[in-house]
Amino acid sequence: MNDSIKKILTFVYYMKSNSVNCLQFSLKGVLWGRGIQTTGRIYIKNKGHARIGDFVRINSSPFANPIGGNERSYFQVLENARLSIGNRVSMSNVSITASKSITLGNGVMLGAGVCIFDTDFHSINVYGRVGRRFGTQEEVRAAAIVLEENVFVGTRAIILKGVVVGSNSVISAGSVVTKSIPSNEIWGGNPAKFIRKVTERELQHPAHHNLD
């Protein structure tokens, strides 16, 4: 297959998936902004309030990002919960579940296979897990998550309930984040720990760097 045919097929695939996903957003009550780009079929369950900002890019197929494996992007917004995705956010093959509130600030980047869950899903109480008659949904712990502007989360990282990640911070691949992270820091590991500060040079626009 020559390059011209590949480009045409890629364009058709992109346009079809983008149209299907935008239709799905509308049917499921998701508010979405200008310039959204999606590749592959996104799975979404919305019983709460979901909003996607302008110029957001969402990959949801191995074709779009091979390092995401065979997963797709999945968004689950439970009853009365809120999912807010800011402008210029990009993500690949992610899994997000909001039972309270999840906020992704402008410019956030989520690597392939990132998981963000603001709930434990199941009760810590053993009887709450083995039978509904012993426990209620209220026993499941949940707390809001916020990723502030320009946060970068590496592939396969997991962010758990109650976490706030400050602006410009970086979370390394495969990390498990269980507590909040200040702005302008790099964290990694399981559980994630402080590695170093983001340098002043790393915070500058490339055009402002002096050539050595």
Side-chain angles (χ1 to χ4, degrees), residues 157-158 171-178 186-195:
I158 301 172
I171 298 168
S172 67
S175 298
V176 179
V177 183
T178 60
I186 300 174
W187 285 53
N190 181 8
K193 297 180 180 179
F194 173 76
I195 297 175

Side-chain angles (χ1 to χ4, degrees), residues 131-205:
R132 290 183 179 178
R133 58 179 177 164
F134 297 114
T136 64
Q137 187 66 26
E138 286 70 26
E139 292 179 346
V140 178
R141 297 178 182 177
I145 292 173
V146 177
L147 272 59
E148 296 181 353
E149 290 191 355
N150 304 320
V151 167
F152 172 44
V153 183
T155 183
R156 304 294 177 184
I158 301 172
I159 299 176
L160 299 178
K161 67 180 187 301
V163 165
V164 176
V165 182
S167 59
N168 307 316
S169 284
V170 178
I171 298 168
S172 67
S175 298
V176 179
V177 183
T178 60
K179 62 182 181 180
S180 293
I181 295 173
S183 298
N184 307 322
E185 294 188 357
I186 300 174
W187 285 53
N190 181 8
K193 297 180 180 179
F194 173 76
I195 297 175
R196 68 173 175 87
K197 291 278 190 179
V198 177
T199 67
E200 289 296 326
R201 183 180 178 86
E202 290 166 336
L203 289 171
Q204 292 177 357
H205 189 282

Side-chain angles (χ1 to χ4, degrees), residues 5-191:
I5 295 177
K6 286 182 180 179
K7 288 180 181 179
I8 293 171
L9 292 176
T10 299
F11 176 77
V12 170
Y13 176 79
Y14 162 73
M15 291 301 296
K16 180 181 179 181
S17 61
N18 207 54
S19 298
V20 169
N21 287 320
C22 288
L23 175 61
Q24 183 180 209
F25 292 152
S26 297
L27 292 174
K28 297 191 176 181
V30 178
L31 301 178
W32 48 281
R34 299 171 298 144
I36 189 169
Q37 298 180 37
T38 66
T39 304
R41 179 69 180 272
I42 298 169
Y43 295 101
I44 185 160
K45 176 181 179 181
N46 180 32
K47 293 186 176 181
H49 309 278
R51 178 188 175 280
I52 300 173
D54 298 333
F55 306 108
V56 170
R57 179 168 187 138
I58 305 172
N59 290 329
S60 184
S61 74
F63 173 80
N65 190 339
I67 68 171
N70 292 319
E71 299 172 4
R72 294 179 182 267
S73 286
Y74 184 89
F75 302 96
Q76 180 176 213
V77 185
L78 303 182
E79 189 171 359
N80 298 321
R82 185 175 298 275
L83 172 63
S84 178
I85 299 174
N87 301 327
R88 304 181 309 281
V89 172
S90 60
M91 61 188 77
S92 290
N93 302 15
V94 301
S95 180
I96 297 176
T97 293
S99 71
K100 293 289 186 182
S101 174
I102 295 177
T103 302
L104 306 182
N106 295 337
V108 165
M109 295 179 64
L110 305 179
V114 165
C115 296
I116 304 177
F117 307 134
D118 73 354
T119 173
D120 286 341
F121 292 102
H122 301 286
S123 174
I124 298 299
N125 186 302
V126 64
Y127 296 106
R129 296 196 301 272
V130 300
R132 290 183 179 178
R133 58 179 177 164
F134 297 114
T136 64
Q137 187 66 26
E138 286 70 26
E139 292 179 346
V140 178
R141 297 178 182 177
I145 292 173
V146 177
L147 272 59
E148 296 181 353
E149 290 191 355
N150 304 320
V151 167
F152 172 44
V153 183
T155 183
R156 304 294 177 184
I158 301 172
I159 299 176
L160 299 178
K161 67 180 187 301
V163 165
V164 176
V165 182
S167 59
N168 307 316
S169 284
V170 178
I171 298 168
S172 67
S175 298
V176 179
V177 183
T178 60
K179 62 182 181 180
S180 293
I181 295 173
S183 298
N184 307 322
E185 294 188 357
I186 300 174
W187 285 53
N190 181 8

